Amino acid sequence: MNGSIGFDRLLELDWLDLVASRLVETRDQKTAFYDARAVVAVTVGGGESHNNAAGKTMTVLSRVWLKVPAEVAGLRDAAALALPGLDAFDRTAVHWGMCELAYPFYMDAAAIVGRALALHDDVALSTVRARLTDRWGARGTMGAASQRILKMWERWAVLAPKPERGSYSLVPPRPVGDVASRLLAEIRVLADQNRVVDLDDLQRAPDLFPFLLPDLRPLLAGSTAVHLNREGGRRIVARPVL
């Protein structure tokens, strides 16, 4: 697959909450960036350079919530506005969708893990790394990126570490509320490379393995971000409104 991996930092959910909330409060991407950077630097270290740990982490955070394509800025703004009214797990679902929208690598990794967990209830880092390498090539950053993303999901409490190093077990998926489910579904449709998603496939998409979604049809019926079309009898597909 062409394109850079990009998602090569371990992000804390608190940082994602912070950068989104500061964007809403300040209405200024630059201010939101530097407010979040001050907090991130306390944990990961680094000065003003963009090439140190804090700078590299902020590059990833910025692409998730700040530097989004113009055509998805409206949905990003709606998601950021909704976050304060959501519980912690629902916020995780929205952040998950924004990460998928920003980074195809993230969505590929999530799909690989989701399919493995559906079959075996556990997954090994070596398996994830090998399958990502098949898709993205044998890049020098692949080992660190795949390890960090699984470790991050452990910290997000959607994977559970097993005694065997580099192995993770299934955390049972949890229900997501209507507001977060609608936002996650809208974001996921925009993230899809084909820009068209069968609604039944979306309901059980392997890359959304941590989340139990309610019936998406009524939630998306009035969406301003995606529209639904009936194709081939009972098949309903979702497409972005761009």
Side-chain angles (χ1 to χ4, degrees):
M1 178 176 285
N2 294 326
S4 63
I5 289 174
F7 202 102
D8 58 356
R9 298 283 122 183
L10 192 156
L11 302 184
E12 301 287 357
L13 289 168
D14 287 348
W15 299 344
L16 290 160
D17 280 342
L18 174 62
V19 73
S21 67
R22 293 305 293 153
L23 179 64
V24 171
E25 292 163 6
T26 66
R27 301 184 181 181
D28 182 78
Q29 292 185 14
K30 186 175 182 179
T31 302
F33 177 94
Y34 283 104
D35 287 353
R37 183 191 174 96
V39 175
V40 170
V42 171
T43 301
V44 303
E48 296 300 320
S49 171
H50 290 292
N51 293 319
N52 58 30
K56 291 177 180 179
T57 300
M58 286 307 304
T59 296
V60 179
L61 277 170
S62 294
R63 190 169 168 186
V64 174
W65 276 108
L66 300 178
K67 296 180 180 180
V68 303
E71 63 268 20
V72 303
L75 181 55
R76 183 274 314 273
D77 292 346
L81 282 167
L83 283 177
L86 303 177
D87 66 23
F89 190 68
D90 281 12
R91 293 198 305 275
T92 300
V94 176
H95 292 312
W96 189 280
M98 292 299 295
C99 289
E100 290 198 335
L101 182 61
Y103 291 98
F105 177 82
Y106 184 105
M107 186 156 64
D108 276 353
I112 289 167
V113 171
R115 292 189 187 100
L117 293 175
L119 292 173
H120 307 295
D121 287 342
D122 60 12
V123 62
L125 170 61
S126 58
T127 299
V128 176
R129 182 182 295 148
R131 292 179 182 172
L132 284 169
T133 299
D134 286 343
R135 285 186 56 78
W136 290 81
R139 308 183 186 204
T141 56
M142 179 61 72
S146 53
Q147 183 177 31
R148 282 172 177 160
I149 204 166
L150 294 186
K151 186 66 177 178
M152 185 180 73
W153 290 339
E154 176 192 337
R155 293 178 67 88
W156 290 11
V158 299
L159 289 178
K162 297 183 70 175
E164 302 87 352
R165 186 174 181 180
S167 186
Y168 296 86
S169 61
L170 173 69
V171 172
R174 294 166 53 190
V176 179
D178 286 354
V179 172
S181 293
R182 176 180 56 77
L183 288 166
L184 176 58
E186 290 171 335
I187 295 165
R188 176 59 175 77
V189 172
L190 269 66
D192 194 273
Q193 290 185 338
N194 297 320
R195 291 301 180 98
V196 56
V197 184
D198 184 288
L199 209 56
D200 288 337
D201 292 341
L202 178 60
Q203 194 85 48
R204 55 178 181 269
D207 54 286
L208 304 182
F209 67 89
F211 311 111
L212 287 176
L213 303 178
D215 185 1
L216 294 175
R217 199 170 310 180
L219 296 182
L220 295 178
S223 172
T224 59
V226 304
H227 58 80
L228 304 181
N229 294 111
R230 188 178 299 276
E231 295 183 357
R234 299 185 63 183
R235 181 173 183 256
I236 296 177
V237 299
R239 289 185 172 86
V241 176
L242 297 177

